[in-house]
Amino acid sequence: DVKVTQSSRYLVKRTGEKVFLECVQDMDHENMFWYRQDPGLGLRLIYFSYDVKMKEKGDIPEGYSVSREKKERFSLILESASTNQTSMYLCASSYAGRGNEKLFFGSGTQLSVL
Amino acid sequence: AQSVTQPDIHITVSEGASLELRCNYSYGATPYLFWYVQSPGQGLQLLLKYFSGDTLVQGIKGFEAEFKRSQSSFNLRKPSVHWSDAAEYFCAVGRGYGGATNKLIFGTGTLLAVQP
């Protein structure tokens, strides 16, 4: 069974802390994504990676960075957490190419920044 | 720019009743369209997708959706709702350029409640 695993279900951090959110997929997918989900705003794409060490900014990359050193792992980094980054963060993965647009999502990490 | 609108924030239906969730998109060419469902505490799961061909697409869990180009709509339907269908539903459009068709743009979601 396909699996996208996010390391933490709930996380509480303080303003100014550096925060790492980890995501691992076991499907050998080329593409990985980080979205944030906020009530009334739906899901918004933060960053996208289409290969190891390759990344593209999404719609709301400000305040975030990413790392993909291995194909199965995609990390989201909040360099200096702020209260407006309190949100649900969803990781997803997929195969590359047209016809492979099915995204597989993790269960999410609810981050609270105090 | 591409966008997706889900005009209904919250819908309540009775168990056994029919369901239609609305989705309108803005896109210049033929869009790639999707419906995802998010059950409480879970990630999103793909219900169905439309790329081309037959405008009525069947998905999992008894859902279907109809692509209507003239109305820029991709509404989700189910003839008889079950209590387990209570969840949040997201419509999405693929950006459709280069290899980035899976950089999806999501709507704001419709929260479905099912009453006995």
Side-chain angles (χ1 to χ4, degrees):
Chain A
D1 206 12
V2 299
K3 211 162 192 180
V4 178
T5 303
Q6 295 184 231
S7 54
S8 304
R9 183 71 180 94
Y10 298 97
L11 211 51
V12 180
K13 296 292 181 182
R14 296 203 177 275
T15 302
E17 278 193 76
K18 190 169 186 176
V19 181
F20 292 85
L21 302 183
E22 306 287 345
C23 174
V24 177
Q25 50 97 0
D26 64 358
M27 297 163 281
D28 202 35
H29 285 163
E30 294 85 5
N31 295 334
M32 297 189 74
F33 309 80
W34 276 106
Y35 284 88
R36 66 176 281 177
Q37 181 180 12
D38 299 287
L41 296 177
L43 280 75
R44 292 176 291 166
L45 181 63
I46 304 172
Y47 264 99
F48 161 62
S49 170
Y50 52 92
D51 202 349
V52 174
K53 298 189 186 295
M54 306 305 288
K55 61 186 179 185
E56 280 186 18
K57 292 180 179 179
D59 300 310
I60 52 163
E62 297 78 18
Y64 303 94
S65 62
V66 290
S67 173
R68 193 164 180 203
E69 297 297 318
K70 293 184 177 181
K71 190 175 186 180
E72 67 270 19
R73 186 180 297 270
F74 192 35
S75 303
L76 180 69
I77 304 157
L78 287 66
E79 296 290 343
S80 177
S82 63
T83 55
N84 63 13
Q85 292 178 309
T86 291
S87 185
M88 171 68 80
Y89 289 88
L90 293 171
C91 176
S93 69
S94 77
Y95 290 112
R98 290 179 182 269
N100 288 317
E101 286 80 0
K102 180 176 181 178
L103 300 187
F104 294 85
F105 282 85
S107 298
T109 295
Q110 179 63 54
L111 173 66
S112 297
V113 182
L114 307 178
Chain B
Q2 301 97 324
S3 65
V4 176
T5 302
Q6 293 181 250
D8 303 307
I9 297 171
H10 189 276
I11 283 181
T12 300
V13 300
S14 298
E15 192 168 14
S18 63
L19 171 70
E20 183 168 26
L21 301 182
R22 296 183 291 164
C23 173
N24 293 98
Y25 66 89
S26 171
Y27 189 73
T30 299
Y32 288 24
L33 294 163
F34 308 82
W35 277 99
Y36 280 82
V37 60
Q38 185 179 34
S39 299
Q42 302 295 316
L44 278 71
Q45 180 185 20
L46 179 67
L47 282 176
L48 48 78
K49 61 184 179 183
Y50 171 78
F51 290 166
S52 64
D54 193 346
T55 56
L56 184 64
V57 293
Q58 303 296 321
I60 62 171
K61 306 185 181 194
F63 285 92
E64 65 178 26
E66 186 171 11
F67 169 62
K68 292 185 177 180
R69 183 188 299 277
S70 61
Q71 298 176 20
S72 297
S73 69
F74 189 57
N75 294 348
L76 183 70
R77 302 193 294 245
K78 187 169 185 178
S80 177
V81 170
H82 188 262
W83 64 266
S84 61
D85 293 324
E88 190 157 22
Y89 292 80
F90 292 92
C91 183
V93 62
R95 298 177 200 231
Y97 53 85
T101 53
N102 50 12
K103 288 170 67 176
L104 302 185
I105 299 171
F106 285 85
T108 51
T110 298
L111 187 61
L112 174 66
V114 180
Q115 58 186 19

